[in-house]
Amino acid sequence: MWGMYLGMKLAWSQGFHHLEVESDSKSLVDMITRKVKINGNPPTLVRRIQELLKLNWQVHFNHTWREGNRSADWLANFSFSLDSFNIHVMENPPSEVSRLLFDDFFGACMPRNIRSIL
């Protein structure tokens, strides 16, 4: 939620008027887009994201599996190693992310591991 909120704020402040937001959290996407009914008040960050949607721009939300956006998943996990909650802007992606972006660009297929409970 924090990543989505801060990313949207950053995009707005940088003058983006069309935004595609992807998340591997279907429940978050459904809360933001009001596809699910929330008993009581929605979480504060959900309300803040919904307030950002009222700005003069076009934002489209998509759910994607974690395997469908491995670079975002890598960056999210990398953020846990940082010593602050500040936004870190990178001029160039880390080499690990460059490889993942290369795979994504060329349409590499990644299997999804699903456990079956018998």
Side-chain angles (χ1 to χ4, degrees):
M1 267 190 255
W2 272 112
M4 184 181 290
Y5 173 68
L6 293 174
M8 289 177 66
K9 278 185 63 170
L10 180 63
W12 177 257
S13 72
Q14 295 294 312
F16 289 90
H17 296 287
H18 301 279
L19 193 64
E20 289 281 330
V21 179
E22 290 187 345
S23 174
D24 63 1
S25 173
K26 180 152 176 41
S27 58
L28 176 58
V29 171
D30 288 347
M31 281 190 289
I32 302 282
T33 58
R34 294 183 166 96
K35 289 182 181 176
V36 65
K37 184 156 177 91
I38 300 171
N39 293 331
N41 291 328
T44 301
L45 282 174
V46 169
R47 288 195 316 266
R48 288 184 180 180
I49 292 168
Q50 289 170 337
E51 287 296 316
L52 288 173
L53 294 176
K54 295 176 183 176
L55 299 172
N56 187 24
W57 63 342
Q58 293 179 359
V59 181
H60 187 259
F61 291 91
N62 290 306
H63 169 256
T64 184
W65 298 108
R66 185 174 300 121
E67 295 83 359
N69 196 345
R70 294 184 307 145
S71 55
D73 186 56
W74 188 93
L75 288 166
N77 288 316
F78 172 74
S79 71
F80 292 118
S81 69
L82 302 175
D83 58 354
S84 73
F85 290 108
N86 295 326
I87 293 176
H88 295 269
V89 177
M90 299 176 186
E91 294 296 323
N92 297 301
S95 60
E96 296 89 344
V97 174
S98 293
R99 285 191 294 274
L100 297 173
L101 290 170
F102 181 84
D103 287 348
D104 187 42
F105 180 78
F106 286 102
C109 293
M110 295 298 131
R112 177 152 175 80
N113 296 326
I114 300 175
R115 293 186 311 173
S116 62
I117 301 173
L118 301 175

